[in-house]
Amino acid sequence: TSMEATTILSVRKNKSVVMIGDGQVTLGNTVMKSNARKVKKTYHDKVLAGFAGATADAFTLFERFEGKLEECSGNLTKAAVDMAKEWRSDKMLRRLEAMLCVADKKLSFILSGTGDVIEPEDGVMAIGSGSMFAISAAKALMDNTKLTAKEIALKSM
């Protein structure tokens, strides 16, 4: 059984973007650690990146993405697309069991384990085994409350 991280949620509302993680690392159904840092700031603190999946794979993916951001001078779209192209063509990367959520002031993307780049249509995105619960709660709060992006993210986790 591999070590896996659980849930990352990002909420974009009123020119604000927030990304949080539950901090859980699980082995099968057992929580091995509950305070892991799975969301990081990168590219001069202008980009948020959160990862879920097999821990070592997620760190490898994050490091590669950081490199792409530097190569692309912080252009999130170009970095995400270049990363996806590399993911599809690189034999080692193709075996990585991880996903990334990335966001800057204007854009948000999910980079999937199959090399897809997905832009959420409503400002809410989540990855990990608890993602459907978190995204459902966040969308309901977005549509039915006046809460801030941060408040929505915290309540949804």
Side-chain angles (χ1 to χ4, degrees), residues 60-121:
T60 299
L61 189 59
F62 178 77
E63 287 169 3
R64 286 279 185 93
F65 183 73
E66 269 188 317
K68 286 289 173 206
L69 266 177
E70 291 295 331
E71 277 175 37
C72 299
S73 304
N75 181 325
L76 189 65
T77 303
K78 182 157 177 36
V81 170
D82 285 359
M83 183 74 200
K85 286 180 187 173
E86 191 173 305
W87 202 333
R88 287 174 180 257
S89 61
D90 185 298
K91 284 183 181 175
M92 186 199 84
L93 277 181
R94 262 187 286 175
R95 288 201 228 14
L96 294 181
E97 294 180 22
M99 295 179 81
L100 277 179
C101 274
V102 295
D104 65 11
K105 282 186 175 181
K106 296 180 181 164
L107 299 165
S108 299
F109 298 108
I110 294 173
L111 304 179
S112 77
T114 54
D116 292 317
V117 178
I118 303 153
E119 185 175 9
E121 58 186 32

